[in-house]
Every structure is written in structure tokens, then in C-alpha cells.
Amino acid sequence: RDAQESRGLGDVYKRQRPDHSKYAEWKTCAINRVTFERACAQRAPPSRLKELRDEQILHVEENFAERRIVADARSEMLRSGDAVFCVDDKSGSDWHYMPMPGNQRENKGTTADFRYRVCLQGNFYPGRGNFYSFVPPMLHTGANFGCSAFVTTLYKLIIDGRMNNVTKLMRQSDGGSDNVSWVTFALHVMLVHEGVVDEIDWVRLRAGHSHNEADANHRLALGVFYPKKGIGPGCCTPFDFHAKLVDGLKGMNGGCEMLWQLANFNFKKWLEGCVHSDFGNYEGERWWRFKYDPCLTTHGFVRVTYKTNITDVASSTADEWKPHIAAPGGSLLQKVSCA
């Protein structure tokens, strides 16, 4: 029904940013809002208006329920001595280009040709350490990129002694191509298989509703250069960019370190023999658990289970976690059959 009603609307559903919010309106919310406005303009019956209102209310309630579950898990892990919570995200539209020097101004005629294109990759471990990776324009993003940033920062915490006695890691990410790939799954399995931790929980909130610590830190980073709307000191070189970020974000919980990500590890090549050729159908599952199991001697000692929805719970006919499926031939991951 919504698809039929949205035909011909063109740019009506473009995302908007209300005055009180720092984030753009997500597509689903925009569709529900515009559909309701159209129904009002067409004098739809009260029953239809109530149906549209209930649809948006349900959408908001589902998102808040998922966010509460992840927030509770985060709080519990921050209080624990053997568990670590982490969140990672590549910065969005605020950092397509390096901030302009303070005595210059941006214009459409020179932006594309004379500005240094850059982004920041954030990998944050609240209470343990926070990392911003300076990503130059020639570096390709994707699965190898996301895994390289994650492993590099995790290794830095380990060699600094900030991961002592840690047995569980919970990772929250978005659903972009930097994360949702068979390479990411294989990497998580490998970390548990090699004994880095005994369990990794990987969770993804819904697109457009995953505003979290990474988004808050991106806003803090933007405020270092533009404390007012489009007004601020800017920077003249990548090295100036680096120095000002380190100084401006030193008050973050766990401190902030800047890394220069100049190359990606080739995880695709390294891990391709560890995954069954039919592994797939995993994009819709949003909470995965990779756990050490000494009984799985022929499967790398790693049990992989998942939940389609973060709010899924056990019932009389279904388990909370969908069952592990053994992979043939000693592969670490098997095909996922989604309901």
C-alpha cells in the first residue's frame, strides 16, 4: 500500500533535518509522515488516519525497544572487568573534505578541485580507549577497510595492556559495506578460534536509527573546527588536522588517539579458504554471537548463532537464538537459511 501511495511523489520523501535534531530524518519515518499528511489533505476517514498514526508509533516503539536492549548491554559491560563494548563507524557528510583554513571560505566552484578529500574512521571502546583513523582519499573502503581498522585498534588495546582478563567483546556497527560482508563474519570467527576472546556479540541497530557514541563523537570532532555553524579555525594541512583533533578530543572517556590508515590488510584473500562457498543470506540478521565451544572439535571450536531481530525472545515453539549449523569439510561458516 505504501509503495503504491508513494509513486509519483518524487522528491517529497527527501530526508529532512528538524531544527531540534542533528540527524536527518530516515526514509521510513519520512514516508510515514508524508503519507499521513497526504491522507489529511485528502480528508481520509478517521480510521485511516488512526491506522497511519499507529504504524509510525509502532515503528518508533520498535526502535526504542532495540536501543534500550543495546544500551543496557553496554552499561552492563562497562561495569564488568572481563567484557568490552565497542562501536565503530565511518564519519558521514561532515568529513567529505578536510576543514578549510579559518581565513578562507568554501564555494561550489572550488570544492571538488582544490580541497583534500578525507574521512575519519572511528573505533571507540568506552572506558578503554578511543581511536580516530585518518583515511586519505586513495584508500578504498569496504570489508577489508572495516576489518583493518577494527583489528588494528583492538591490537593496540591488547599490546597496551588494556584488554587484560577480557573474555567477551560486544561490537555495535552499522549495516554499511564496511561491515556487512562474509569477511567480517570470518574475522569474528577467527578471533574466537585463536583465543583473542571467548565470545563476540555483533549487533546492528536499524539504519537511520543507530545514533550512538560514534555519532556523538563525530559531532565533537566537528565542533573542534566549527564550534559555530560553518564558522571556526579550520586547518591548513592533514598534520594540523591530526594535532587539533588529538587536543580537542583529549577529554573523551578513555582518551583519544589518532591513527593514519594508509593501507588495508587483504582479509578477503587470507580468509577465503575458511568459509563455505554457499555462505550467504545473512544481511537481514542483526545480532550474531560467536562463542567458544570446546565440543565443536571439527568446526574450529566456534559456535555461531544469530537473531533476526534484537528483541527476539524464546517462546514455546522457538529458541531465542537460531541454532548453529555445522559446516561441511571443516569450513568455519555454513550457509544461513533465513526464515
Side-chain angles (χ1 to χ4, degrees), residues 109-183:
T110 61
T111 291
D113 294 333
F114 300 102
R115 291 192 64 190
Y116 191 78
R117 196 172 186 91
V118 67
C119 73
L120 292 174
Q121 165 69 16
N123 293 85
F124 309 107
Y125 305 78
R128 304 272 179 169
N130 303 289
F131 301 91
Y132 261 126
S133 298
F134 185 92
V135 183
M138 71 283 191
L139 191 67
H140 287 190
T141 58
N144 281 329
F145 165 79
C147 290
S148 297
F150 173 57
V151 168
T152 300
T153 55
L154 185 62
Y155 174 74
K156 185 68 166 61
L157 290 179
I158 292 173
I159 63 173
D160 287 348
R162 287 179 276 178
M163 292 284 286
N164 294 339
N165 303 318
V166 171
T167 60
K168 179 177 179 179
L169 185 147
M170 183 173 184
R171 183 186 183 196
Q172 181 188 344
S173 71
D174 62 17
S177 60
D178 299 336
N179 302 306
V180 183
S181 165
W182 67 265
V183 183

Side-chain angles (χ1 to χ4, degrees), residues 134-287:
F134 185 92
V135 183
M138 71 283 191
L139 191 67
H140 287 190
T141 58
N144 281 329
F145 165 79
C147 290
S148 297
F150 173 57
V151 168
T152 300
T153 55
L154 185 62
Y155 174 74
K156 185 68 166 61
L157 290 179
I158 292 173
I159 63 173
D160 287 348
R162 287 179 276 178
M163 292 284 286
N164 294 339
N165 303 318
V166 171
T167 60
K168 179 177 179 179
L169 185 147
M170 183 173 184
R171 183 186 183 196
Q172 181 188 344
S173 71
D174 62 17
S177 60
D178 299 336
N179 302 306
V180 183
S181 165
W182 67 265
V183 183
T184 308
F185 286 86
L187 175 64
H188 290 160
V189 171
M190 187 63 68
L191 290 174
V192 176
H193 173 73
E194 295 296 327
V196 177
V197 289
D198 291 337
E199 181 180 332
I200 294 178
D201 276 23
W202 179 30
V203 63
R204 295 185 293 111
L205 291 171
R206 300 187 188 200
H209 296 282
S210 60
H211 309 311
N212 50 34
E213 210 138 6
D215 296 294
N217 290 336
H218 291 335
R219 299 303 303 183
L220 290 175
L222 180 65
V224 172
F225 301 97
Y226 299 125
K228 297 182 179 180
K229 292 183 178 179
I231 302 175
C235 60
C236 297
T237 67
F239 308 101
D240 186 30
F241 185 62
H242 178 141
K244 287 184 177 180
L245 275 176
V246 172
D247 182 64
L249 300 176
K250 60 187 176 184
M252 290 172 58
N253 180 18
C256 182
E257 300 178 52
M258 281 290 295
L259 308 176
W260 289 62
Q261 189 167 338
L262 303 179
N264 294 323
F265 294 108
N266 192 354
F267 284 101
K268 287 185 177 180
K269 183 66 175 178
W270 183 45
L271 295 170
E272 62 183 357
C274 301
V275 179
H276 192 269
S277 59
D278 289 336
F279 179 66
N281 300 331
Y282 48 75
E283 294 86 352
E285 321 299 343
R286 292 192 294 116
W287 192 333

